[in-house]
Amino acid sequence: MWVIFALLSAFFAAATSILAKIGIEGINSNLATAIRTVVVLIMAWGIVFITGTQSGITSISQKSWIFLVLSGIATGLSWLFYYKALQMGEASKVVPIDKFSVVISMVMAFVILKEAITVKTIIGGIFITIGTFVLIL
């Protein structure tokens, strides 16, 4: 089931890039990011309340709070830089560089999370890296 969710994530991430490129025309990229963030905030909390999971907020550990806040900061910075890059550059060049985050995430998973390094992940990471550089050169 996780594969279906991952594919849906990829589809909507692709749609995000194209919709954003069209939407930021003539708008400050930071303002566009703020508008997008408000929409995401409303959607996320809406889902929490629709599913009735808001009561779980009191059981979140301090460690989880810290890392979720740090993740939120990283997401915000990523979106701000992404929108600025998308506004200035071609989507077909900005998006592959942004998706290079896959390789960076893999390396961080190996180093920080101590996930197993396999031949498949190394080969996949190499292909993604090559593909990224081929598309942007």
Side-chain angles (χ1 to χ4, degrees), residues 59-70:
S59 63
I60 298 173
S61 71
Q62 183 178 4
K63 176 185 172 187
S64 289
W65 273 110
I66 290 168
F67 281 94
L68 289 172
V69 168
L70 291 173

Side-chain angles (χ1 to χ4, degrees), residues 10-60:
F11 172 79
F12 285 111
T16 297
S17 302
I18 302 308
L19 296 170
K21 180 66 176 174
I22 296 167
I24 61 174
E25 189 175 327
I27 299 173
N28 176 279
S29 63
N30 295 330
L31 177 59
T33 303
I35 292 168
R36 173 190 180 186
T37 303
V38 168
V39 173
V40 171
L41 180 72
I42 292 168
M43 281 185 56
W45 279 107
I47 291 169
V48 166
F49 283 105
I50 287 169
T51 59
T53 54
Q54 67 274 11
S55 62
I57 200 166
T58 58
S59 63
I60 298 173

Side-chain angles (χ1 to χ4, degrees), residues 65-108:
W65 273 110
I66 290 168
F67 281 94
L68 289 172
V69 168
L70 291 173
S71 174
I73 291 168
T75 298
L77 290 170
S78 172
W79 288 359
L80 288 167
F81 289 124
Y82 179 72
Y83 265 57
K84 189 64 175 177
L86 200 55
Q87 189 171 51
M88 296 171 70
E90 297 176 29
S92 61
K93 291 196 165 86
V94 171
V95 173
I97 295 170
D98 176 65
K99 298 310 174 199
F100 188 66
S101 64
V102 171
V103 174
I104 297 168
S105 295
M106 289 166 61
V107 170
M108 292 174 82

Side-chain angles (χ1 to χ4, degrees), residues 106 110 115-125:
M106 289 166 61
F110 300 147
E115 291 186 3
I117 300 173
T118 66
V119 172
K120 283 173 35 174
T121 56
I122 291 172
I123 292 171

